[in-house]
């Protein structure tokens, strides 16, 4: 064994290193040269004991040096492999990760469908404030403060100290308090004041009630108000517009029934029922075995409301109606509890 032997081994190692293409091969190479049992360098170290003291002193440090160099080169190559791996460790042949995509709540889907149907009949779709003044929600639609009908529409009142002060200054403390609107009928008078006749509008939006909730009642729900005012408008128009709408949304099989009703803002007033699509009128718990479901209130706009909107009731007439969109969606899909819509329960919402 001499310096030449070491040089040859060093060259051989470098040549072998160039053929390494993976971490496993590198590990094999390391064992081949530095392995404790049969490593080529280890072997040389073992053979040292056969040499004379002089030779040992000369060649010993050279073998150690070679060992250090080989160790360093292996480590260096290993870190290169790791580095490379971390850069390209994406297996592009794997199928992509599925990103869950949401969809509209059925209330939104049907609201949009309702808007489209009414638009196709020439109605404007109008938005309004959910925090409404007592005036527009009640007084403007012929429900003065003393009126017992206020009882049916109890809601949440909101105090604004600045506004209160202003109202007090104007000597009008009561009628302009703020409340969460109980119906989108609150937009009737605003619309009459804002737009020229004839007026055709619907107002979809969330409304609020102080309600003991149950399967049919929620403290917040989507309400759709409809309003049509012009010359010679009659109940016949009200009936046909709503028939067309319901057949478009619920299908041709739906039956519609009108009953006399009472609302302070219409005269005469009607209630509209629709045939129970859940049991096909054979009687079920949803329709309480009657085959019919209460669906909306409607009527001819009361002269007081027209006047509040700046319209002469002697020259013009109009009809108005209001329905709960939640109820419509319940009927369409056979949902038996209105509270599910706002329950945030994915098991419910993913069914649509
Ligand atoms: N606003 C009524 C309610 O929420 C529904 C309603 C009834 C609206 C009759 C109308 C109407 O425009 O004429 O219960």
């Amino acid at each position: 064994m001499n310096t030449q032997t070491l040089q040859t081994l060093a060259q051989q190692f470098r040549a072998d290193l160039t053929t390494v293409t993976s971490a496993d091969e590198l590990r094999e190479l390391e064992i081949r040269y530095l392995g404790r049992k049969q490593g080529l360098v280890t072997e040389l170290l073992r053979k040292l004991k056969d040499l004379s003291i002089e030779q040992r002193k000369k060649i010993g440090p050279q073998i150690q040096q070679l060992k250090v160099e080989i160790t360093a080169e292996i480590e260096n190559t290993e870190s290169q492999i790791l580095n490379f791996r971390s850069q390209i460790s994406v297996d592009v042949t794997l199928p992509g990760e599925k990103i869950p995509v949401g969809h509209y709540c059925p209330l939104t889907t049907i609201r949009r469908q309702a808007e489209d149907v009414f638009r196709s009949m020439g109605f404007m779709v109008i938005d309004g404030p959910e925090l409404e003044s007592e005036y527009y929600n009640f007084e403007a639609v012929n429900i003065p403060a003393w009126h017992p009908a206020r009882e049916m529409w109890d809601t949440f009142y909101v105090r604004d100290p600045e506004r209160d002060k202003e109202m007090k200054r104007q000597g009008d403390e009561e009628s302009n308090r703020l409340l969460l609107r109980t119906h989108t009928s609150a937009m009737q008078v605003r619309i009459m004041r804002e737009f020229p006749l004839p007026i055709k509008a619907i107002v979809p939006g969330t409304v609020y009630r102080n309600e003991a909730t149950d399967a049919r009642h929620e403290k917040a729900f989507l309400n759709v108000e409809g309003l049509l005012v012009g010359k010679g408008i009659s109940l016949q128009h009200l009936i046909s517009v709503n028939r067309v709408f319901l057949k478009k949304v619920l299908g041709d099989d739906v039956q519609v029934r009108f009953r006399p009703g009472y609302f302070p803002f219409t005269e005469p007033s009607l209630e509209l029922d629709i045939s129970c699509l859940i049991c096909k009128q054979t009687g079920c718990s949803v329709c309480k075995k009657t085959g019919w479901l209460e669906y909306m209130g409607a009527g001819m706009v009361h002269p007081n409301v027209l006047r509040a909107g700046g319209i002469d009731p002697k020259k013009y007439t109009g009809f108005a109606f209001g329905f709960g969109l939640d109820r419509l969606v319940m009927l369409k899909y056979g949902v038996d509890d209105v509270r599910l819509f706002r329950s945030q329960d994915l098991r419910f919402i993913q069914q649509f």
Side-chain angles (χ1 to χ4, degrees):
M1 171 177 21
N2 54 31
T3 311
Q4 184 59 44
T5 325
L6 297 190
Q7 275 171 3
T8 313
L9 191 63
Q11 272 167 13
Q12 191 191 326
F13 169 75
R14 288 198 182 103
D16 285 352
L17 189 61
T18 59
T19 65
V20 165
T21 58
S22 70
D24 286 347
E25 285 176 19
L26 186 66
R27 182 93 192 102
E28 279 169 23
L29 184 74
E30 185 180 12
I31 292 169
R32 188 155 9 111
Y33 284 86
L34 305 177
R36 271 204 247 145
K37 282 189 188 150
Q38 284 171 336
L40 295 170
V41 178
T42 320
E43 204 81 342
L44 291 182
L45 285 167
R46 206 171 284 140
K47 283 187 188 148
L48 266 182
K49 65 176 184 329
D50 304 332
L51 301 179
S52 66
I53 294 197
E54 268 96 87
Q55 274 180 313
R56 246 189 264 169
K57 272 192 186 155
K58 189 175 159 230
I59 207 119
Q62 286 180 8
I63 302 177
Q64 285 300 348
Q65 177 60 27
L66 180 64
K67 190 176 171 183
V68 169
E69 278 170 25
I70 288 180
T71 309
E73 287 195 41
I74 286 176
E75 276 172 9
N76 190 17
T77 309
E78 187 174 23
S79 68
Q80 277 177 21
I81 290 174
L82 289 179
N83 220 344
F84 184 63
R85 251 200 210 160
S86 72
Q87 279 170 25
I88 58 122
S89 64
V90 178
D91 181 349
V92 291
T93 64
L94 283 175
E97 199 175 310
K98 240 191 185 168
I99 299 168
V101 179
H103 60 76
Y104 287 123
C105 171
L107 291 173
T108 306
T109 311
I110 302 300
R111 176 175 58 75
R112 293 187 166 196
Q113 193 187 347
E115 289 173 7
D116 284 348
V117 175
F118 279 110
R119 264 201 210 98
S120 76
M121 292 192 276
F123 284 72
M124 303 181 279
V125 178
I126 292 183
D127 204 6
E130 288 178 25
L131 190 59
E132 183 56 280
S133 76
E134 194 165 356
Y135 172 77
Y136 285 114
N137 196 80
F138 290 128
E139 260 93 347
V141 286
N142 204 30
I143 316 174
W146 51 264
H147 201 291
R150 286 228 180 174
E151 193 71 14
M152 293 197 303
W153 289 289
D154 191 14
T155 181
F156 303 90
Y157 287 80
V158 178
R159 295 221 79 102
D160 175 350
E162 284 308 308
R163 196 182 160 94
D164 283 354
K165 257 188 253 160
E166 177 62 17
M167 292 298 118
K168 202 166 196 167
R169 214 172 49 76
Q170 294 176 5
D172 183 9
E173 278 176 67
E174 277 294 294
S175 72
N176 252 331
R177 283 188 300 175
L178 292 175
L179 48 77
L180 291 180
R181 65 179 175 191
T182 62
H183 46 194
T184 47
S185 312
M187 284 299 288
Q188 278 195 14
V189 163
R190 289 177 189 273
I191 293 170
M192 288 180 201
R193 290 180 186 175
E194 174 115 12
F195 295 98
L197 290 165
I199 289 168
K200 275 178 157 187
I202 60 159
V203 190
T206 303
V207 300
Y208 302 85
R209 305 266 166 104
N210 181 9
E211 199 81 70
T213 56
D214 62 27
R216 289 154 162 259
H217 299 92
E218 252 293 25
K219 50 198 177 300
F221 61 93
L222 267 173
N223 189 214
V224 178
E225 177 77 12
L227 179 67
L228 196 157
V229 186
K231 275 217 162 94
I233 300 301
S234 73
L235 276 182
Q236 194 52 50
H237 298 116
L238 166 73
I239 292 168
S240 61
V241 161
N242 281 287
R243 276 226 169 92
V244 169
F245 169 70
L246 287 169
K247 284 193 191 290
K248 279 257 164 65
V249 176
L250 297 178
D252 282 337
D253 292 345
V254 69
Q255 300 292 314
V256 177
R257 169 175 99 168
F258 290 88
R259 289 179 289 118
Y262 170 73
F263 296 98
F265 28 91
T266 40
E267 182 58 39
S269 301
L270 301 174
E271 304 250 3
L272 190 158
D273 300 337
I274 43 190
S275 54
C276 182
L277 299 172
I278 296 167
C279 64
K280 304 242 169 346
Q281 294 198 293
T282 54
C284 67
S285 64
V286 177
C287 64
K288 296 196 199 117
K289 301 209 186 317
T290 63
W292 293 95
L293 287 154
E294 282 179 25
Y295 161 69
M296 78 170 194
M300 298 304 293
V301 181
H302 196 286
N304 286 351
V305 180
L306 290 173
R307 270 191 288 270
I311 293 169
D312 183 351
K314 293 213 180 74
K315 289 196 194 145
Y316 299 97
T317 50
F319 68 73
F321 58 87
F323 63 87
L325 201 86
D326 297 48
R327 186 134 318 164
L328 187 65
V329 177
M330 284 170 82
L331 275 172
K332 186 168 167 89
Y333 295 112
V335 175
D336 60 4
D337 195 325
V338 67
R339 293 168 294 191
L340 288 165
F341 290 124
R342 288 165 185 79
S343 65
Q344 316 279 323
D345 190 336
L346 288 179
R347 287 170 306 175
F348 169 70
I349 219 75
Q350 279 166 349
Q351 294 175 48
F352 296 92

